[in-house]
């Protein structure tokens, strides 16, 4: 779902139907997922709302668990902050894929 929404975002940014890899990166870096968007896709409560930025590719660090019985999805426990044992590496977050962030080489 995230990749498909990133493609749509890239298409909107660049005004084209067929995007190239650099445009896909732009779509990923400008991705914003809201509760309204998830509900519109038939995934209400699927996860937390978030907006990707060059400064934060990882979101707010929330995790939740759901179970699916082929008829409905049920949130087993609510969203909780994920504890990172070794902390975050802000430089690694900025590098993104292949050392690129927002079209710039580190």
């Amino acid at each position: 779902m995230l990749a498909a929404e990133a493609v749509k975002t890239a298409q909107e940014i660049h005004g084209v139907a067929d995007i190239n890899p650099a445009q896909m990166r732009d779509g990923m870096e400008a991705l914003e997922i809201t509760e309204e968007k998830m509900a519109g896709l038939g995934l209400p409560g699927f996860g937390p709302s978030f907006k990707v930025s060059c400064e934060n590719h990882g979101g707010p660090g929330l995790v939740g668990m759901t179970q699916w019985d082929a008829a409905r999805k049920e949130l087993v426990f609510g969203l909780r902050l994920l504890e990172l044992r070794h902390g975050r590496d802000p430089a690694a977050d900025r590098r993104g894929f292949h050392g690129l962030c927002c079209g710039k080489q580190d």
Side-chain angles (χ1 to χ4, degrees):
M1 180 269 288
L2 297 177
E5 291 304 309
V7 168
K8 290 182 199 177
T9 301
Q11 290 169 326
E12 291 171 9
I13 290 169
H14 294 285
V16 297
D18 295 327
I19 61 169
N20 64 37
Q23 292 168 329
M24 179 63 177
R25 182 192 62 232
D26 293 343
M28 292 293 291
E29 291 178 343
L31 187 61
E32 183 172 4
I33 301 294
T34 63
E35 178 55 38
E36 293 79 19
K37 185 175 280 190
M38 288 184 280
L41 295 169
L43 298 167
F46 183 73
S49 296
F50 65 90
K51 182 173 182 166
V52 176
S53 69
C54 287
E55 294 76 28
N56 185 351
H57 288 143
L62 297 174
V63 63
M65 182 173 291
T66 61
Q67 60 187 21
W68 177 257
D69 68 5
R72 64 184 173 83
K73 176 177 69 84
E74 178 184 355
L75 193 60
V76 177
F77 67 80
L79 296 172
R80 299 177 185 172
L81 187 61
L82 180 64
E83 277 190 44
L84 300 175
R85 291 181 185 260
H86 302 291
R88 292 183 70 149
D89 177 0
D93 286 346
R94 285 192 307 277
R95 282 193 295 274
F97 292 102
H98 307 294
L100 295 174
C101 180
C102 297
K104 298 175 186 167
Q105 187 79 32
D106 273 354

